[in-house]
Amino acid sequence: MVAIGELFPEVEAEAKEHLSGIDFNKTLMQGMLGFLLFAAALHVNLADLKKQRMVIGVLATGGVLMSTVLVGGMTYALMTLMGVHIRPVYCLLFGALISPPSPMSWWSSPSWCRA
């Protein structure tokens, strides 16, 4: 938009006017987020999911635990290097918060990606 605005100022003004009328929070939260988060779930065969529930549960739980420890440990190390004193439990909490389980992303991947 910046480059186009430099070449065509009238287009930039029109785009700004159009975009200023959009409620970003409403558009994201009520319009796009459902599709972004749950698009993979639309293509899941529930019978196959039920057959694989143990594998998916173990992989999701193990992935979250591993990610929690790795992200929490790296956060703690980085904070220590920067001279910020923080308790390790807070770093692990941060790691857990940004480590969502994603068995759906595995399940919805193309069959050639799965073993």
Side-chain angles (χ1 to χ4, degrees), residues 13 31 33-34 46-49 52 56 61 70 76 103 109:
L33 194 59
L46 293 178
D48 289 342
L49 182 65
Q52 298 292 330
I56 292 170
T61 303
L70 288 172
Y76 182 75
S109 65

Side-chain angles (χ1 to χ4, degrees), residues 9-66:
E10 64 279 355
V11 174
E12 180 183 22
E14 188 176 327
K16 282 183 180 179
E17 182 181 332
H18 179 69
L19 292 174
S20 67
I22 297 174
D23 181 1
F24 180 74
N25 184 41
K26 185 175 179 181
T27 302
L28 178 67
M29 299 305 282
Q30 294 178 4
M32 296 169 19
L33 194 59
F35 293 112
L36 294 172
L37 292 176
F38 303 109
L42 295 174
H43 304 288
V44 172
N45 181 333
L46 293 178
D48 289 342
L49 182 65
K50 188 175 180 179
K51 285 186 224 175
Q52 298 292 330
R53 68 180 174 264
M54 282 300 289
V55 173
I56 292 170
V58 168
L59 290 174
T61 303
V64 168
L65 292 174
M66 188 177 357

Side-chain angles (χ1 to χ4, degrees), residues 105-115:
S105 64
W106 176 85
W107 191 257
S108 64
S109 65
S111 59
W112 54 267
C113 290
R114 296 186 293 237

